[in-house]
Amino acid sequence: AEGARAFAIGLKPLDPARWLEPDERLAAELALKDRLARERPAVVFQAEAVTQDAQAEVLSLVVDHLLADHPGLVARAVETLRVPGIGRAVALADGSPPLAVAGRLVQDDLVLMRRGAGGWRLAAASLSFPSHWSLAEKMSLPMAAIHAPVPGFAGQMATRVDRVFDNLRPGIPVWRLNWSLQDDAEPHHPAPKRGPKDWSRPHVRVERQTLRALPRSGDILFTIRVRLDPLDALATHPDGRRLAALLREDLLRLDADQLAYKGLADAREGIAARLAALAT
């Protein structure tokens, strides 16, 4: 909507009071997180043993933010955080990993990055809504290896991202948005993109990502908030024509490697035609 190009870093300063943004999908998405944690615990949570203190720091930060900046949403009762509007209560000290507890309080996925000899690595994560990547393949890897499949990441962009991480300061979070298109409404996609897809009802997937330096541990918390909507919702959006035109421009601008990475090589022309119709 603001003209940012695909595959750009595009970070902007973020008001700490707007760090996390619970919305009307809170109950459904937290219920889905609970189900995935029961059915696929090793898929949605992993952590290095040395991250326990940093995980506790994240949990404290999340609880303090919800109480201070979303006071009508939550209430604290001893070691429990209640969300009265959706009939939810989360024990804050039940023996579960603190990052997993924090993940049960918010719609965002929470990824803890730690600096080491090999650069910034993925040290812990509560990850319920990945887009075709898994903790099993990325855990403990440095940034360059995590983003190896991303076209154009190696080299200058990798250096810029490392510099951004190195220069983050506590209390000054930043954020960005990205977009992709998928053939269903399922937010949980840990498997790689494979096989034919049915693009009869494409969805727009937008990730609101934030980066926040942790003052005690020195780690960085990367949050990922997923929003999924049918492409056809642009037909009733008040700014839908302009958005459809901009999305079509971005889609047509992608080169072969970028199309393959987004899984859109066979779908681009059909989706571009639908966007052209939505833009008129």
Side-chain angles (χ1 to χ4, degrees):
E2 297 177 0
R5 300 278 69 87
F7 294 90
I9 297 175
L11 286 170
K12 295 178 285 189
L14 175 64
D15 179 356
R18 297 189 59 194
W19 176 39
L20 304 175
E21 294 185 335
D23 65 11
E24 74 282 355
R25 302 181 188 183
L26 180 68
E29 292 182 3
L30 293 186
L32 178 54
K33 279 192 170 190
D34 287 346
R35 179 172 67 79
L36 291 169
R38 290 192 304 270
E39 297 175 356
R40 315 188 74 184
V43 174
V44 300
F45 183 83
Q46 289 192 30
E48 296 177 356
V50 294
T51 61
Q52 194 73 9
D53 288 346
Q55 290 185 53
E57 186 178 5
V58 171
L59 176 57
S60 178
L61 194 65
V62 168
V63 169
D64 289 348
H65 170 71
L66 292 176
L67 289 170
D69 298 306
H70 302 281
L73 180 73
V74 298
R76 185 160 188 167
V78 193
E79 288 303 313
T80 299
L81 198 70
R82 295 185 297 108
V83 191
I86 60 174
R88 186 176 183 84
V90 176
L92 301 178
D94 66 353
S96 300
L99 192 65
V101 177
R104 295 187 60 217
L105 294 170
V106 296
Q107 292 159 270
D108 309 62
D109 283 335
L110 306 174
V111 178
L112 194 66
M113 304 295 294
R114 174 161 290 187
R115 193 75 157 94
W120 291 93
R121 73 179 187 277
L122 199 168
S126 170
L127 183 79
S128 297
F129 306 136
S131 179
H132 299 288
W133 67 281
S134 70
L135 292 177
E137 63 180 353
K138 304 290 189 182
M139 192 66 197
S140 297
L141 291 182
M143 195 96 69
I146 290 171
H147 291 90
V150 180
F153 185 83
Q156 186 177 11
M157 183 175 288
T159 301
R160 288 177 60 200
V161 170
D162 278 342
R163 189 178 301 123
V164 166
F165 273 57
D166 288 339
N167 290 332
L168 280 177
R169 296 293 176 263
I172 310 175
V174 294
W175 72 294
R176 69 184 294 269
L177 297 172
N178 71 13
W179 67 266
S180 59
L181 294 162
Q182 62 182 61
D183 64 336
D184 61 18
E186 171 59 58
H188 177 71
H189 275 293
K193 303 180 182 81
R194 289 199 183 102
K197 296 183 177 183
D198 176 8
W199 287 101
S200 59
R201 195 163 185 258
H203 281 66
V204 181
R205 177 185 174 110
V206 174
E207 293 183 357
R208 178 184 185 267
Q209 303 173 349
T210 79
L211 292 169
R212 183 163 192 160
L214 303 181
R216 294 201 302 272
S217 64
D219 293 341
I220 288 175
L221 180 63
F222 175 45
T223 74
I224 310 163
R225 172 64 188 287
V226 175
R227 289 181 173 87
L228 269 168
D229 291 285
L231 186 70
D232 290 341
L234 290 170
T236 56
H237 190 284
D239 199 23
R241 291 182 178 179
R242 186 177 71 90
L243 294 174
L246 289 171
L247 183 55
R248 181 175 179 273
E249 289 176 12
D250 254 8
L251 181 60
L252 294 176
R253 192 179 287 113
L254 299 179
D255 63 29
D257 289 340
Q258 293 169 340
L259 280 172
Y261 174 73
K262 286 184 175 285
L264 295 170
D266 297 328
R268 173 161 66 177
E269 297 310 316
I271 294 175
R274 294 178 75 152
L275 287 168
L278 288 165
T280 58

